[in-house]
Amino acid sequence: VQLQASGGGLVQAGGSLRLSCAASRSIVGIRAGGWYRQAPGKRRELVARVTTDSTTDYADSVKGRFTISRDNAKNTLYLQTNSLKPEDTAVYYCNAVLWVVPGVSQGYWGQGTLVTVSS
């Protein structure tokens, strides 16, 4: 199984993007997941996560602007990003724990998708 991230691009400040992270083949579902980002010269940081019981958590810098969700019917994790700022510019990575078969879960990273916010 691979995670395929998409949805990044160039957007003006104040704009929106929806990032997607899809499993490459049919699985049972997404147990938990998160989105991370890494800006040039900076460490990778957690942006948002959703837990097994659907609790969500966000970095202070994105609270109220970003929303994480998952669709187990589509085997896809999403990050809706609104009111984007130039400081949101980074490569965004998804990470998910997938139920690959009933009762068996495994963690995976996506390949990253670049978000560039112009001022």
Side-chain angles (χ1 to χ4, degrees), residues 7-21:
L10 174 62
V11 63
Q12 289 188 331
S16 300
L17 288 172
R18 188 174 79 156
L19 308 184
S20 299
C21 178

PDB file of all heavy atoms in Angstrom, residues 7-21:
ATOM      1  N   GLY A   7      -3.082  17.790  -4.428  1.00  0.00           N
ATOM      2  CA  GLY A   7      -3.876  18.970  -4.121  1.00  0.00           C
ATOM      3  C   GLY A   7      -3.081  20.224  -3.850  1.00  0.00           C
ATOM      4  O   GLY A   7      -3.657  21.304  -3.699  1.00  0.00           O
ATOM      5  N   GLY A   8      -1.763  20.107  -3.762  1.00  0.00           N
ATOM      6  CA  GLY A   8      -0.955  21.294  -3.536  1.00  0.00           C
ATOM      7  C   GLY A   8      -0.920  22.173  -4.767  1.00  0.00           C
ATOM      8  O   GLY A   8      -1.401  21.809  -5.834  1.00  0.00           O
ATOM      9  N   GLY A   9      -0.342  23.349  -4.609  1.00  0.00           N
ATOM     10  CA  GLY A   9      -0.232  24.271  -5.728  1.00  0.00           C
ATOM     11  C   GLY A   9       0.124  25.657  -5.270  1.00  0.00           C
ATOM     12  O   GLY A   9       0.481  25.872  -4.109  1.00  0.00           O
ATOM     13  N   LEU A  10       0.017  26.599  -6.200  1.00  0.00           N
ATOM     14  CA  LEU A  10       0.303  27.999  -5.926  1.00  0.00           C
ATOM     15  C   LEU A  10      -1.015  28.729  -5.720  1.00  0.00           C
ATOM     16  O   LEU A  10      -1.932  28.635  -6.551  1.00  0.00           O
ATOM     17  CB  LEU A  10       1.063  28.614  -7.097  1.00  0.00           C
ATOM     18  CG  LEU A  10       1.321  30.119  -7.036  1.00  0.00           C
ATOM     19  CD1 LEU A  10       2.187  30.467  -5.835  1.00  0.00           C
ATOM     20  CD2 LEU A  10       1.966  30.591  -8.338  1.00  0.00           C
ATOM     21  N   VAL A  11      -1.122  29.451  -4.621  1.00  0.00           N
ATOM     22  CA  VAL A  11      -2.358  30.165  -4.305  1.00  0.00           C
ATOM     23  C   VAL A  11      -2.001  31.507  -3.677  1.00  0.00           C
ATOM     24  O   VAL A  11      -0.951  31.639  -3.036  1.00  0.00           O
ATOM     25  CB  VAL A  11      -3.246  29.323  -3.366  1.00  0.00           C
ATOM     26  CG1 VAL A  11      -2.560  29.094  -2.029  1.00  0.00           C
ATOM     27  CG2 VAL A  11      -4.620  29.929  -3.190  1.00  0.00           C
ATOM     28  N   GLN A  12      -2.853  32.487  -3.885  1.00  0.00           N
ATOM     29  CA  GLN A  12      -2.623  33.790  -3.264  1.00  0.00           C
ATOM     30  C   GLN A  12      -3.041  33.761  -1.805  1.00  0.00           C
ATOM     31  O   GLN A  12      -3.897  32.955  -1.398  1.00  0.00           O
ATOM     32  CB  GLN A  12      -3.428  34.859  -4.002  1.00  0.00           C
ATOM     33  CG  GLN A  12      -2.895  35.188  -5.378  1.00  0.00           C
ATOM     34  CD  GLN A  12      -3.599  36.382  -5.998  1.00  0.00           C
ATOM     35  OE1 GLN A  12      -4.762  36.639  -5.701  1.00  0.00           O
ATOM     36  NE2 GLN A  12      -2.898  37.102  -6.866  1.00  0.00           N
ATOM     37  N   ALA A  13      -2.452  34.632  -1.027  1.00  0.00           N
ATOM     38  CA  ALA A  13      -2.820  34.745   0.381  1.00  0.00           C
ATOM     39  C   ALA A  13      -4.327  34.955   0.501  1.00  0.00           C
ATOM     40  O   ALA A  13      -4.919  35.712  -0.273  1.00  0.00           O
ATOM     41  CB  ALA A  13      -2.070  35.898   1.032  1.00  0.00           C
ATOM     42  N   GLY A  14      -4.929  34.247   1.449  1.00  0.00           N
ATOM     43  CA  GLY A  14      -6.370  34.302   1.627  1.00  0.00           C
ATOM     44  C   GLY A  14      -7.111  33.213   0.891  1.00  0.00           C
ATOM     45  O   GLY A  14      -8.309  33.008   1.115  1.00  0.00           O
ATOM     46  N   GLY A  15      -6.425  32.514   0.020  1.00  0.00           N
ATOM     47  CA  GLY A  15      -7.038  31.455  -0.753  1.00  0.00           C
ATOM     48  C   GLY A  15      -7.152  30.144  -0.002  1.00  0.00           C
ATOM     49  O   GLY A  15      -6.790  30.049   1.180  1.00  0.00           O
ATOM     50  N   SER A  16      -7.631  29.125  -0.733  1.00  0.00           N
ATOM     51  CA  SER A  16      -7.863  27.810  -0.134  1.00  0.00           C
ATOM     52  C   SER A  16      -7.353  26.705  -1.048  1.00  0.00           C
ATOM     53  O   SER A  16      -7.297  26.868  -2.271  1.00  0.00           O
ATOM     54  CB  SER A  16      -9.368  27.596   0.090  1.00  0.00           C
ATOM     55  OG  SER A  16      -9.913  28.561   0.947  1.00  0.00           O
ATOM     56  N   LEU A  17      -7.000  25.619  -0.429  1.00  0.00           N
ATOM     57  CA  LEU A  17      -6.646  24.395  -1.139  1.00  0.00           C
ATOM     58  C   LEU A  17      -7.179  23.220  -0.336  1.00  0.00           C
ATOM     59  O   LEU A  17      -7.228  23.280   0.904  1.00  0.00           O
ATOM     60  CB  LEU A  17      -5.131  24.249  -1.289  1.00  0.00           C
ATOM     61  CG  LEU A  17      -4.402  25.172  -2.262  1.00  0.00           C
ATOM     62  CD1 LEU A  17      -2.888  24.996  -2.095  1.00  0.00           C
ATOM     63  CD2 LEU A  17      -4.808  24.893  -3.686  1.00  0.00           C
ATOM     64  N   ARG A  18      -7.530  22.153  -1.028  1.00  0.00           N
ATOM     65  CA  ARG A  18      -7.877  20.910  -0.326  1.00  0.00           C
ATOM     66  C   ARG A  18      -6.844  19.856  -0.695  1.00  0.00           C
ATOM     67  O   ARG A  18      -6.721  19.476  -1.864  1.00  0.00           O
ATOM     68  CB  ARG A  18      -9.270  20.414  -0.673  1.00  0.00           C
ATOM     69  CG  ARG A  18      -9.683  19.248   0.214  1.00  0.00           C
ATOM     70  CD  ARG A  18     -11.106  18.795   0.014  1.00  0.00           C
ATOM     71  NE  ARG A  18     -11.269  17.966  -1.170  1.00  0.00           N
ATOM     72  CZ  ARG A  18     -12.248  17.086  -1.349  1.00  0.00           C
ATOM     73  NH1 ARG A  18     -13.170  16.939  -0.412  1.00  0.00           N
ATOM     74  NH2 ARG A  18     -12.335  16.387  -2.463  1.00  0.00           N
ATOM     75  N   LEU A  19      -6.118  19.417   0.294  1.00  0.00           N
ATOM     76  CA  LEU A  19      -5.122  18.377   0.098  1.00  0.00           C
ATOM     77  C   LEU A  19      -5.775  17.019   0.321  1.00  0.00           C
ATOM     78  O   LEU A  19      -6.605  16.855   1.217  1.00  0.00           O
ATOM     79  CB  LEU A  19      -3.957  18.567   1.065  1.00  0.00           C
ATOM     80  CG  LEU A  19      -3.305  19.957   1.076  1.00  0.00           C
ATOM     81  CD1 LEU A  19      -2.106  19.950   2.015  1.00  0.00           C
ATOM     82  CD2 LEU A  19      -2.934  20.414  -0.305  1.00  0.00           C
ATOM     83  N   SER A  20      -5.362  16.056  -0.485  1.00  0.00           N
ATOM     84  CA  SER A  20      -5.892  14.702  -0.374  1.00  0.00           C
ATOM     85  C   SER A  20      -4.759  13.712  -0.222  1.00  0.00           C
ATOM     86  O   SER A  20      -3.658  13.927  -0.737  1.00  0.00           O
ATOM     87  CB  SER A  20      -6.695  14.335  -1.630  1.00  0.00           C
ATOM     88  OG  SER A  20      -7.787  15.202  -1.808  1.00  0.00           O
ATOM     89  N   CYS A  21      -5.046  12.635   0.453  1.00  0.00           N
ATOM     90  CA  CYS A  21      -4.058  11.582   0.675  1.00  0.00           C
ATOM     91  C   CYS A  21      -4.806  10.270   0.537  1.00  0.00           C
ATOM     92  O   CYS A  21      -5.575   9.889   1.429  1.00  0.00           O
ATOM     93  CB  CYS A  21      -3.446  11.750   2.056  1.00  0.00           C
ATOM     94  SG  CYS A  21      -2.254  10.498   2.518  1.00  0.00           S
TER      95      CYS A  21
END
